[in-house]
Amino acid sequence: MSARDNILLRIREANGREAVTGESQRSAILARLEAHSRGPLPSMDWEPVQRFKERCVAMMSTVGEAGSLSDVPRAVAAYLQEKNLPTGGACWPEFAELDWAGAGLTIESRPSHGNDKLGISGAYCALAENGTLMLLSGENTHATTSLLPENHVAIVSASRIVATMEDGWDLLRREHRGLPRQVNFVSGPSRTADIEMTLVLGAHGPFRVHVIIVRD
C-alpha cells in the first residue's frame, strides 16, 4: 500500500466509511455533484471567445489566432520573431506532426527539459470569465511543458472555450471517469509581489504566456 492510499484509508476509517469507495457510493457522489445547484453568478452577457481574449490581455498574456491547426506553426513563428525569442523547444505529442520546420522552428515532441526556452502545449479547455487555461497532466500532456520554459505558447480550440470555471469542471466530469494527477490553471505569466510589493514576472514559471486560438 502506498503512503497516499494509507492516508486515505485512515481518513475513511476515521469517518466510519468503507475502505474502498464502491460503485454505488461513487454513483451517489456523482449524482449529488450533478444535482448540486450553483451559487450566485455574475451577469455573463458576453461572447465567450471575445471575453477570453480580453481577459487574457488583462492577465498579461498575449493572444493570436490561427484559422486551422495547420496554420499554428506560422502563427507561433510570427510571435517569436516579433518578440525576438528562441525558435527551438518542446511540444506536446499531439502537435508533433505539424510543419514546424517549414515555419523555421526546431520543435521536438517530448517533455520539456530545464534548459528549454520554449514550451508549446495545448489546453483541456479555457475559461472565458477570467482568461484562464485549464490543463490536465498526463502521459501525453506533460505539465513541464507549461511550467519550466521561460516562454509558454498554448494552443486552444475556440470550441473548447467555456464560460466559467464551473463549466470547466462539468466538462471534466462528463469526459473523464476520474481526476488526473494534476489540474493546472494558468492565468497569464507567473508572478509575485511578495517582496516589498514589487511585481516580478517569472517567479515560479514562465515569463511570457502566448495563447493561440484556433478557429476550428
Side-chain angles (χ1 to χ4, degrees):
M1 179 182 295
S2 68
R4 175 181 181 274
D5 290 339
N6 185 46
I7 292 171
L8 293 176
L9 174 62
R10 290 162 58 191
I11 292 173
R12 291 190 186 98
E13 290 177 343
N15 285 278
R17 294 177 53 187
E18 296 179 17
V20 178
T21 301
E23 189 59 36
S24 61
Q25 287 180 305
R26 175 180 172 80
S27 298
I29 292 170
L30 292 176
R32 180 174 179 179
L33 289 172
E34 185 69 24
H36 182 67
S37 61
R38 294 185 180 182
L41 293 172
S43 172
M44 292 181 288
D45 54 348
W46 29 257
E47 194 278 322
V49 175
Q50 183 58 36
R51 167 73 177 196
F52 176 68
K53 292 167 63 176
E54 293 171 355
R55 295 311 303 164
C56 278
V57 172
M59 296 302 293
M60 302 178 70
S61 294
T62 53
V63 182
E65 293 193 29
S68 66
L69 193 60
S70 62
D71 295 328
V72 165
R74 290 191 295 274
V76 174
Y79 164 71
L80 297 175
Q81 183 178 13
E82 177 188 355
K83 301 297 183 180
N84 194 29
L85 297 174
T87 57
C91 75
W92 281 3
E94 65 182 283
F95 306 118
E97 301 304 317
L98 295 181
D99 187 14
W100 300 110
L105 306 178
T106 306
I107 305 299
E108 300 176 353
S109 172
R110 56 170 173 76
S112 183
H113 300 154
N115 57 352
D116 285 319
K117 299 299 183 182
L118 172 65
I120 301 174
S121 79
Y124 178 68
C125 67
L127 315 180
E129 182 180 15
N130 47 20
T132 295
L133 303 169
M134 184 175 178
L135 289 79
L136 312 184
S137 66
E139 183 178 358
N140 294 313
T141 54
H142 316 120
T144 57
T145 305
S146 65
L147 297 175
L148 291 182
E150 294 180 358
N151 306 288
H152 174 207
V153 174
I155 302 168
V156 180
S157 171
S159 64
R160 301 290 289 187
I161 298 177
V162 300
T164 67
M165 182 174 289
E166 290 89 341
D167 293 320
W169 285 114
D170 286 345
L171 188 64
L172 179 58
R173 294 188 191 102
R174 288 197 301 270
E175 296 183 345
H176 292 262
R177 180 173 174 80
L179 290 174
R181 185 176 184 183
Q182 295 178 24
V183 178
N184 292 319
F185 293 95
V186 176
S187 302
S190 165
R191 73 198 76 185
T192 183
D194 290 344
I195 302 176
E196 297 183 353
M197 299 299 291
T198 300
L199 182 63
V200 177
L201 297 180
H204 42 74
F207 287 91
R208 303 173 191 85
V209 174
H210 182 64
V211 180
I212 295 179
I213 300 173
V214 180
R215 293 278 188 174
D216 49 359

